[in-house]
């Protein structure tokens, strides 16, 4: 089964991390999502906790 996009339709890319504050993907990841393998999509989704921490640190600084 294909991994659904985490996109919420509200892209807000944070300059320090490069992550969207909504879906936590980079611009390149968001652009190439449809072409990615499900394995790569799962890697991005499973990396969410680390990305949340990185985004929190970057916005707190």
């Amino acid at each position: 089964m294909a991994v659904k996009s985490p996109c919420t339709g509200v892209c807000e890319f944070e300059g320090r991390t490069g992550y969207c504050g909504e879906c936590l993907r980079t611009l390149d990841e968001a652009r190439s999502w449809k072409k990615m393998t499900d394995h790569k999509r799962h890697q991005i989704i499973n990396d969410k906790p680390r990305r949340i921490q990185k985004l929190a640190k970057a916005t707190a600084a």
Side-chain angles (χ1 to χ4, degrees):
M1 187 164 128
V3 179
K4 292 179 73 175
S5 171
C7 183
T8 62
V10 183
C11 297
E12 295 180 8
F13 291 94
E14 198 281 320
R16 292 184 186 140
T17 63
Y19 296 140
C20 172
E22 296 292 321
C23 70
L24 299 169
R25 296 180 295 173
T26 65
L27 183 58
D28 287 341
E29 290 168 345
R31 284 182 177 162
S32 62
W33 187 261
K34 290 182 180 181
K35 298 175 186 174
M36 286 182 186
T37 63
D38 280 347
H39 177 75
K40 180 64 178 169
R41 291 176 185 172
H42 277 291
Q43 286 179 324
I44 293 168
I45 298 294
N46 292 339
D47 195 36
K48 187 175 180 177
R50 186 189 66 79
R51 292 177 184 218
I52 289 171
Q53 287 181 343
K54 188 173 180 180
L55 187 62
K57 287 179 185 178
T59 55

